[in-house]
Amino acid sequence: MIEINHKLLLNNMNYSVAEHELVYDNQGNPIDYRYVYVNLQFCKSLGVSENEILGKNVYELFPETEKFWLTEYAEVVRTGSPKEFTHYSAVFDKYFSVYSFKTKENHFVTSFKDVTDFIKNSMDKNMDSELLRTFSTSSKAAFFEFDIRKNTIDYSENLLEILGVNDITMEKYQTEFFKMSHPEDLRRVSYSIARLSRGEIDEVTIEMRVLNDEKDDYVWISFFAYVSKKLKHIPIVFKGIVRDITVEKKVELDHNESSQIFAQTRRIANITTFLYYPDVMTFDQSQELLDFLGLTELNSLEDFRKIIYPEDLKFFDAATTHILNQPSGGSTYRIVKNGEIRYIQSSLFSLKNNKGITSKVSGILRDITQEELNRRVIENSRRSFSQIFDSSPAGIFILDDDFKITMRNEKFIKFTGNKKTTVQEFLGDQYLPTLNHMRLHDTIEDIEITYYLESISRHYLVSIITMIGLDNKYQGTVIDITDSVEQGERIKFLATRDMLTKIYNRNYFEGYTKNLNGRTVGIVMCDIDGLKLINDAFGHLEGDKLLIQFA
């Protein structure tokens, strides 16, 4: 289920789903509820569009909505207990089978289906209507590593996109990289890389232009490389980061304020870098880093630890220990910045001295707070979907193109009594007609089937729709109508039978005579002699027994 596009699946369901937020007055009393999310079937059921209702209150849109709905939903939010009911809405003149549950503070989800046609068709057309109503981003960045001794290169895939090439090999790098460099940058780039390769410097940061063949234009990149490993003082392994800074550089050049604009762009992108020296346990001070962390000074590692969210100190300390012994690492943790919790993703790279001891740690910090909040929204959506799917009052099953069940919720398993029941076993003699119909049409609704569960007959309404844009082809919904069927049969029995003798009454007789179609029938009229005498002598109960026995 996790692999399915949840929103697309919800929109393909023929079951209405909506999320609401309860609205309170100044005294804390629930007075309304607003629409937070609706699926396509919800809009179709109520005859409205998504744009018309999202963010709006129910009583603002439908002021005649009965207070019953608000009361029910407020109780769900207050108690946290799900509710299931069927109720009539005078606003829409429809009956809805509803299931509602709380998702978070003051929020609840409703899933429901319009069962108006079934309820009205399953009951006596002459019944009073009142009786019916009682049925209720940051910039692109890439990592690379060159091993001169092994003649190998490793890199993250987005490096290809940044440079606009299909692949990168050591041979191509050595011959093509300088060809890609802008003529105005070539001398500076060649000089810096040559010094790094000879071991004259341990790291280099270059802003340069390279020709991106896919864009047929030069793009600006920030090229950071450092010596990761030496052999007899000769660098043999280089690591670094290439970052697409085209946008930043264009802004920088346009405004002719290179350093300030670049720093501002990095802040907008929620990225900062730092250098840390483990031997003296101090940071290379920069105003950008202080602004990023919300500090006025950062003199030691302990100053950094003070702003780490207490529960995340173990992750921060583990990453710090790890980078002192490994070439790269990182972690994600929370910091408290100006009283606000921010999520930070760190990427760390260590530089060892000739004795193999880490002498410098460079790092990239990225504020991923918005991404984390978005992830949580998606996760809550997934959980809500899972809750809707598995807690729905309707049985739901998903079919592939071969009409094989690929997914079923808990209610469907309860309805069938078996986790392995096939759709053919479930539909019985309705299987082939349904299969043939779905091969020609997009949907089939309200197939009434009788299914025997532990030798007891159950009555279900089954609807199947075709889903578009998913690997699974069909989605089915099952509603248990056993109580309604039995109630309808009971009502019909009482309407056509004599209450005492249980034989047909005049209502049945009049209905029967309307369907004679010209046939000749005879009528026998009879009476019981002495019935009054029995009633007077032995009481009416004995008289009733005589009538029942005679009938």
Side-chain angles (χ1 to χ4, degrees):
M1 179 167 57
I2 295 176
E3 299 175 354
I4 291 184
N5 184 319
H6 300 142
K7 185 174 181 180
L8 187 55
L9 183 53
L10 283 173
N11 278 335
N12 272 285
M13 284 185 172
N14 63 342
Y15 212 84
S16 301
V17 177
E19 183 177 13
H20 307 276
E21 180 182 8
L22 210 57
V23 178
Y24 298 87
D25 61 17
N26 294 332
Q27 285 73 44
N29 301 312
I31 58 172
D32 208 335
Y33 50 102
R34 70 172 55 93
Y35 295 100
V36 177
Y37 165 80
V38 293
N39 71 345
L40 295 181
Q41 183 59 34
F42 179 95
C43 298
K44 181 179 177 182
S45 295
L46 301 189
V48 294
S49 69
E50 185 179 13
N51 292 334
E52 289 177 314
I53 60 176
L54 282 185
K56 301 220 173 53
N57 293 349
V58 171
Y59 289 107
E60 173 187 355
L61 295 173
F62 312 113
E64 300 302 320
T65 300
E66 298 90 342
K67 293 298 181 182
F68 166 87
W69 303 97
L70 177 61
T71 302
E72 291 292 307
Y73 297 146
E75 183 177 355
V76 169
V77 171
R78 180 180 59 82
T79 64
S81 300
K83 296 201 74 172
E84 179 180 352
F85 53 90
T86 300
H87 198 69
Y88 174 77
S89 170
V91 175
F92 301 102
D93 190 25
K94 292 181 179 182
Y95 292 85
F96 294 108
S97 176
V98 182
Y99 179 77
S100 178
F101 60 90
K102 181 179 180 180
T103 54
K104 57 183 178 180
E105 188 68 24
N106 299 331
H107 284 68
F108 62 94
V109 165
T110 59
S111 57
F112 60 91
K113 183 162 186 175
D114 180 357
V115 293
T116 306
D117 291 341
F118 171 73
I119 289 182
K120 288 187 175 181
N121 291 335
S122 64
M123 297 184 178
D124 193 328
K125 298 287 191 300
N126 295 322
M127 278 187 170
D128 186 88
S129 60
E130 288 301 318
L131 179 60
L132 286 176
R133 291 192 180 104
T134 62
F135 290 88
S136 29
T137 151
S138 66
S139 300
K140 298 174 185 175
F143 165 81
F144 66 86
E145 177 180 344
F146 295 106
D147 192 317
I148 303 299
R149 191 178 184 186
K150 295 180 180 179
N151 197 36
T152 60
I153 179 172
D154 187 21
Y155 55 88
S156 54
E157 291 186 3
N158 49 343
L159 182 61
L160 302 178
E161 180 182 353
I162 294 174
L163 299 180
V165 296
N166 295 324
D167 66 338
I168 299 176
T169 63
M170 283 294 290
E171 292 75 12
K172 281 189 176 182
Y173 165 73
Q174 293 170 346
T175 59
E176 298 294 329
F177 184 73
F178 294 113
K179 291 182 181 180
M180 296 168 58
S181 301
H182 193 282
E184 295 178 4
D185 300 333
L186 181 58
R187 183 176 179 179
R188 175 171 53 88
V189 171
S190 301
Y191 176 74
S192 299
I193 292 180
R195 291 191 65 202
L196 184 70
S197 300
R198 290 193 298 266
E200 297 176 9
I201 55 177
D202 292 331
E203 66 179 48
V204 63
T205 300
I206 307 171
E207 291 182 2
M208 57 181 292
R209 288 159 289 183
V210 295
L211 181 61
N212 186 306
D213 287 337
E214 291 185 357
K215 297 180 179 179
D216 193 27
D217 195 6
Y218 284 98
V219 297
W220 277 94
I221 64 170
S222 174
F223 178 85
F224 168 73
Y226 67 95
V227 178
S228 176
K229 188 175 181 182
K230 292 183 178 181
L231 180 63
K232 296 180 179 180
H233 307 295
I234 303 299
I236 60 173
V237 178
F238 304 89
K239 294 183 180 181
I241 289 177
V242 173
R243 191 163 67 91
D244 185 338
I245 59 170
T246 303
V247 175
E248 293 97 321
K249 289 300 295 183
K250 284 184 178 180
V251 174
E252 176 185 342
L253 296 173
D254 288 344
H255 293 82
N256 197 27
E257 298 174 352
S258 57
S259 60
Q260 294 182 6
I261 297 302
F262 184 61
Q264 179 64 24
T265 304
R266 286 158 64 89
R267 284 196 292 271
I268 293 174
N270 289 322
I271 290 178
T272 191
T273 58
F274 66 86
L275 287 176
Y276 174 70
Y277 303 91
D279 53 343
V280 293
M281 295 187 294
T282 60
F283 286 88
D284 192 1
Q285 292 279 358
S286 75
Q287 189 59 46
E288 180 184 284
L289 179 61
L290 295 177
D291 291 342
F292 183 90
L293 298 175
L295 296 173
T296 56
E297 60 180 8
L298 181 61
N299 297 318
S300 66
L301 187 64
E302 193 58 31
D303 290 338
F304 204 134
R305 293 183 80 254
K306 288 178 181 178
I307 64 171
I308 302 296
Y309 194 74
E311 294 181 5
D312 293 350
L313 271 172
K314 57 184 178 182
F315 305 123
F316 179 83
D317 292 341
T320 303
T321 303
H322 175 87
I323 199 59
L324 295 178
N325 301 291
Q326 300 296 330
S328 63
S331 65
T332 300
Y333 46 81
R334 290 166 290 180
I335 67 171
V336 180
K337 177 181 178 182
N338 301 326
E340 180 183 359
I341 295 177
R342 309 294 297 179
Y343 289 81
I344 305 299
Q345 183 183 72
S346 69
S347 299
L348 306 175
F349 307 92
S350 66
L351 176 64
K352 299 184 182 301
N353 58 23
N354 294 334
K355 296 181 180 180
I357 299 175
T358 299
S359 60
K360 185 184 299 184
V361 174
S362 62
I364 300 175
L365 300 180
R366 189 161 70 93
D367 189 324
I368 59 169
T369 303
Q370 191 57 51
E371 295 175 28
E372 178 64 21
L373 294 177
N374 292 340
R375 184 194 66 79
R376 293 189 174 198
V377 169
I378 294 172
E379 179 63 17
N380 288 336
S381 175
R382 185 195 68 79
R383 290 178 180 175
S384 293
F385 168 81
S386 177
Q387 205 167 2
I388 292 169
F389 188 81
D390 287 326
S391 302
S392 171
I396 301 174
F397 57 95
I398 310 299
L399 304 171
D400 61 18
D401 193 54
D402 295 323
F403 242 55
K404 298 292 191 302
I405 297 179
T406 59
M407 189 189 311
R408 67 195 82 202
N409 71 347
E410 294 298 325
K411 187 66 71 172
F412 181 82
I413 295 173
K414 180 180 179 180
F415 285 168
T416 60
N418 193 323
K419 292 183 178 180
K420 297 183 179 179
T421 301
T422 65
V423 69
Q424 184 173 2
E425 292 170 342
F426 181 62
L427 295 179
D429 57 5
Q430 296 280 5
Y431 172 75
L432 286 179
T434 300
L435 177 62
N436 293 332
H437 179 91
M438 291 305 296
R439 296 300 187 196
L440 300 175
H441 305 281
D442 292 333
T443 182
I444 186 169
E445 295 188 354
D446 297 338
I447 311 167
E448 185 172 350
I449 67 169
T450 301
Y451 183 86
Y452 288 89
L453 184 61
E454 297 178 352
S455 301
I456 299 175
S457 64
R458 305 293 297 178
H459 301 276
Y460 300 125
L461 273 185
V462 181
S463 299
I464 301 175
I465 64 171
T466 300
M467 297 190 294
I468 300 173
L470 296 175
D471 293 335
N472 293 293
K473 188 67 178 292
Y474 308 101
Q475 177 256 319
T477 304
V478 182
I479 298 177
D480 189 347
I481 59 171
T482 303
D483 291 342
S484 296
V485 170
E486 292 176 352
Q487 193 170 28
E489 292 175 351
R490 173 64 176 166
I491 292 172
K492 182 178 179 181
F493 182 90
L494 294 176
T496 58
R497 301 275 183 161
D498 177 77
M499 290 295 294
L500 177 63
T501 63
K502 303 301 185 292
I503 63 175
Y504 291 120
N505 61 14
R506 180 172 179 175
N507 285 339
Y508 179 83
F509 173 78
E510 291 179 351
Y512 178 81
T513 57
K514 292 178 181 179
N515 297 309
L516 290 178
N517 297 323
R519 289 181 295 165
T520 302
V521 298
I523 299 176
V524 176
M525 299 184 64
C526 57
D527 193 10
I528 299 177
D529 293 337
L531 179 60
K532 184 177 185 306
L533 180 61
I534 293 175
N535 286 335
D536 294 341
F538 302 103
H540 286 277
L541 289 179
E542 292 301 320
D544 289 346
K545 289 180 180 179
L546 177 61
L547 286 173
I548 293 171
Q549 184 176 3
F550 178 78

